[in-house]
Amino acid sequence: MALAKSETGERVQWAAITGVIATVSVFAIAQGLSYPLLSFILQRQGVSPAVIGLSAAMTPIGFILSSPLIPGLARRFGAGRTALTCAVLSALVLALIGWTQDVYLWFPLRFLIGAVTNPLYVLSEIWVIALAPPSRRGRVMGIYSTIISAGFAAGPLCLLAVGTEGWPPFLVGIFAFLFCGGCLAVVVKRLPKVDEVGENVSVLGFMPLAWLLLSSVVVAAGFEQSVLALLPVYGTHYAIPEARMSALLSMMIAGNIAMQVPLGLLAERLTARLVRFGCVSVTILGCLLLPVLIETPLIWPCVFVWGAVSYGIYTMSIIELGERFSGSTLVAGNAAFSLMWGVGGIVVPPLTGSVMDVIGAAGLPATLGIICAALAVTTVFRRRIV
């Protein structure tokens, strides 16, 4: 009888995990669709690239400024109610963006869509961490990371089917957010409580508890955004055609998607902390090999592995977060992760681009390599003093 009860509980747990991952995958498709869609529309309106870039930056700024509010919202209204409300608000704001079609109104609206989607993403990620059995947390978070990456990659592909003009692409995104809320509503009663009354850990209060993990998130975010934005610029130094550089970026994203589950399984056999250090070390090696291999066929497997391990830094950090924290502390920690992801994406690409302006194309691997090396040295130093 006890065994049957245990098996029933495990089935419920895996059903809840599946529901939450389905929720976040649809969310990722909607987010992945909106970025290129709005850029295409602004480009057709004759808006300058600088203004398009500033408009796109409103969403991560919304992530950053909303992150400290998430623990309080979860405690006051409940995590489930907060996430469901954010799903509906996300659909509403995207509808307003489609209705206005005005570059200046899009600035506050894109900020709002970042602010209202962030709690949905953060709380869903917390539920996956909390639901994952400790012995299988690596593979569960690997599957989660894989599906998130695939969802973001699938978003732009939706535009091939519906185009970028009129309401059809917006309706896909609006429906995706509403469907996301529907998936969540189905499983919300099975989700663990992560918003205990009595605990009051803020995002700022969490930071001293796991500053190295948060630094890893900054590095992972900064690396990803810098490579996506600046690798095509790097290729022009070697007179590499744009089509080939786009294909290299696709290969890098493929590595990200394909290798998170194997890395998660490896974390189960070793530890997330050790695998994270390995990912940082191999990322540094990729920075050293990039100028050597960029004009050779070996660049293809190189960027595949590079994409896998650079994002693996984040995946391992999430796994370790779930191992070390729970309850409201986990809510604050995941909100801090979201904040640091926004900081890394905003700070590191301009820094890398500035170094490239000064020393040329070598500034890309040099800057990213130095940042990763600083993280590796700090990890070793902290381990020794602990």
Side-chain angles (χ1 to χ4, degrees):
M1 181 68 71
L3 180 60
K5 187 180 293 186
S6 174
E7 288 175 349
T8 300
E10 187 168 328
R11 283 197 298 271
V12 169
Q13 191 175 43
W14 283 107
I17 290 173
T18 302
V20 176
I21 290 180
T23 297
V24 183
S25 65
V26 177
F27 162 83
I29 292 172
Q31 284 287 83
L33 173 145
S34 65
Y35 277 98
L37 170 63
L38 301 185
S39 294
F40 283 134
I41 293 173
L42 290 176
Q43 198 170 25
R44 283 200 300 268
Q45 293 178 354
V47 177
S48 71
V51 174
I52 292 175
L54 286 173
S55 177
M58 292 299 102
T59 299
I61 291 173
F63 291 162
I64 292 172
L65 295 184
S66 66
S67 292
L69 305 177
I70 295 172
L73 289 171
R75 282 192 300 271
R76 182 169 182 179
F77 301 107
R81 186 179 298 174
T82 300
L84 286 169
T85 302
C86 286
V88 175
L89 289 176
S90 298
L92 177 61
V93 175
L94 187 58
L96 287 173
I97 290 174
W99 180 58
T100 55
Q101 296 282 317
D102 183 280
V103 61
Y104 298 108
L105 289 176
W106 279 10
F107 275 84
L109 288 174
R110 295 186 81 167
F111 170 83
L112 281 176
I113 205 165
V116 297
T117 57
N118 192 35
L120 176 63
Y121 173 76
V122 167
L123 293 170
S124 297
E125 189 164 77
I126 291 166
W127 281 316
V128 176
I129 295 169
L131 285 165
S135 62
R136 300 184 182 182
R137 183 171 283 126
R139 72 192 71 183
V140 170
M141 297 314 299
I143 292 169
Y144 169 84
S145 295
T146 297
I147 291 176
I148 283 286
S149 299
F152 277 113
L157 295 179
C158 292
L159 297 180
L160 296 177
V162 299
T164 62
E165 297 185 5
W167 274 102
F170 286 99
L171 291 175
V172 171
I174 292 166
F175 175 78
F177 280 127
L178 293 176
F179 186 73
C180 173
C183 291
L184 186 59
V186 170
V187 299
V188 70
K189 292 183 179 179
R190 299 178 177 180
L191 300 177
K193 299 294 182 183
V194 295
D195 47 358
E196 293 96 331
V197 177
E199 292 187 50
N200 189 17
V201 182
S202 68
V203 170
L204 293 178
F206 176 83
M207 289 184 176
L209 302 178
W211 58 268
L212 187 58
L213 282 181
L214 296 173
S215 299
S216 299
V217 173
V218 172
V219 170
F223 184 94
E224 179 182 74
Q225 297 301 314
S226 296
V227 171
L228 289 175
L230 297 173
L231 190 63
V233 179
Y234 182 85
T236 61
H237 176 78
Y238 296 90
I240 296 174
E242 290 183 5
R244 187 168 186 264
M245 294 309 299
S246 297
L248 283 174
L249 283 176
S250 298
M251 179 64 75
M252 188 171 183
I253 294 169
N256 175 353
I257 294 172
M259 295 303 294
Q260 299 312 304
V261 174
L263 287 173
L265 290 169
L266 188 61
E268 292 177 6
R269 296 180 63 87
L270 304 173
T271 65
R273 181 179 296 180
L274 184 59
V275 177
R276 175 164 53 85
F277 181 77
C279 287
V280 174
S281 302
V282 178
T283 301
I284 296 169
L285 179 61
C287 293
L288 295 173
L289 291 176
L290 180 65
V292 177
L293 302 180
I294 187 66
E295 296 182 284
T296 74
L298 291 176
I299 191 61
W300 297 96
C302 177
V303 297
F304 182 88
V305 174
W306 217 28
V309 295
S310 60
Y311 194 76
I313 298 171
Y314 180 79
T315 301
M316 295 305 112
S317 299
I318 280 288
I319 294 171
E320 188 175 343
L321 179 72
E323 292 171 349
R324 292 173 54 185
F325 303 100
S326 62
S328 292
T329 309
L330 180 60
V331 177
N334 206 267
F337 268 40
S338 179
L339 190 155
M340 290 297 108
W341 184 271
V343 169
I346 287 176
V347 172
V348 178
L351 172 64
T352 305
S354 298
V355 175
M356 292 177 72
D357 284 342
V358 175
I359 68 172
L364 176 65
T367 305
L368 297 180
I370 290 169
I371 291 172
C372 290
L375 178 62
V377 170
T378 305
T379 302
V380 171
F381 179 72
R382 181 182 182 278
R383 184 68 174 168
R384 286 182 176 177
I385 63 174
V386 172

